[in-house]
Amino acid sequence: YPPPGGPPVAQSHLPPSSYQGAYPPAAPGGPAYPPAPQQGGYTQQGGPPPDSQREKFYQCFGPHPQDASGLSKVLQKLGLTLPVSVCGLLLRMHDFDRTGTMNFNEFMSVHQFILSVRDSFASVDTDSNGVLTLRELQQALSINGFSLDNVALGTLMESFDPERKGHLDLPAFVGLAAFLSSARGLFNQMDPHGQGQITVNFNQFCWLVGHLR
């Protein structure tokens, strides 16, 4: 996944009580974030958090770089439970120095990404029930520049809704957002002229899939 041009400036009728603490609810009716120039869709926005908030995050993060498992534990301390696989995607998206681990500044970029995804979730969760139906999911993706056909959308819904509940909560939506952001970045890397389609051999296919795990 190509670097998005260096770390951004450290940039929400949110649902579930499981996503509190570091991530307070967004103001209702706020607009979804704009498409990213390079990644499209889920991008960072806003200004840096207050020093007091950064200190809280630093205490949770610690002085040493974190791998995907460590990132998962840090986010859990802050009130968001994500599987290690999703944290691996987030790490690759924000590993600006390409070390394979995440430093604190890169973590703050992840934090801003999560806040922006939460804003998008809130903007389409109009009944404030803390989950997105397939229709709401389609709306959220469309707002952020992802136009998927019914087959692709249904497959993603099943992938991030393994219990077949028919909806996605916020952690699942964060995972889907990370997947789509990574997928678009990889696709654009293979489609430098913006033709909207690519041809890959088996080795390239394995490389793409490996980066999306």
Side-chain angles (χ1 to χ4, degrees):
Y1 185 80
V9 177
Q11 330 183 249
S12 302
H13 241 350
L14 238 294
S17 55
S18 62
Y19 197 62
Q20 293 178 346
Y23 307 112
Y33 49 88
Q38 295 188 33
Q39 294 172 307
Y42 306 95
T43 181
Q44 298 76 25
Q45 64 177 2
D51 290 342
S52 59
Q53 197 176 32
R54 285 182 64 89
E55 178 61 27
K56 175 182 179 179
F57 295 151
Y58 185 79
Q59 290 175 0
C60 291
F61 187 86
H64 304 295
Q66 301 286 352
D67 58 12
S69 177
L71 175 60
S72 179
K73 292 174 183 177
V74 172
L75 291 174
Q76 193 165 20
K77 290 178 185 178
L78 293 170
L80 180 64
T81 301
L82 294 178
V84 174
S85 58
V86 171
C87 290
L89 282 175
L90 290 171
L91 191 156
R92 287 191 289 274
M93 288 168 60
H94 300 268
D95 180 19
F96 300 114
D97 56 10
R98 322 315 287 173
T99 61
T101 58
M102 177 164 290
N103 61 41
F104 180 67
N105 287 332
E106 292 167 339
F107 170 73
M108 293 307 298
S109 176
V110 170
H111 168 67
Q112 296 304 320
F113 176 87
I114 291 172
L115 291 183
S116 66
V117 173
R118 189 186 63 176
D119 286 341
S120 184
F121 187 105
S123 72
V124 297
D125 182 24
T126 54
D127 55 6
S128 302
N129 65 349
V131 297
L132 299 186
T133 63
L134 183 62
R135 180 179 178 181
E136 290 171 329
L137 174 60
Q138 188 172 33
Q139 182 182 358
L141 298 183
S142 177
I143 287 171
N144 291 285
F146 293 97
S147 179
L148 302 179
D149 62 29
N150 290 336
V151 175
L153 184 64
T155 300
L156 284 177
M157 186 74 170
E158 290 179 3
S159 179
F160 289 91
D161 177 29
E163 298 179 4
R164 301 298 189 267
K165 295 178 180 178
H167 58 247
L168 299 183
D169 60 11
L170 181 62
F173 184 62
V174 171
L176 188 150
F179 172 85
L180 284 176
S181 290
S182 294
R184 175 166 283 180
L186 290 166
F187 185 93
N188 288 345
Q189 185 175 354
M190 302 291 290
D191 181 30
H193 301 297
Q195 296 178 337
Q197 60 183 15
I198 60 174
T199 301
V200 297
N201 61 34
F202 186 68
N203 285 327
Q204 292 170 321
F205 176 76
C206 290
W207 178 83
L208 288 168
V209 172
H211 277 77
L212 292 172
R213 287 178 55 81

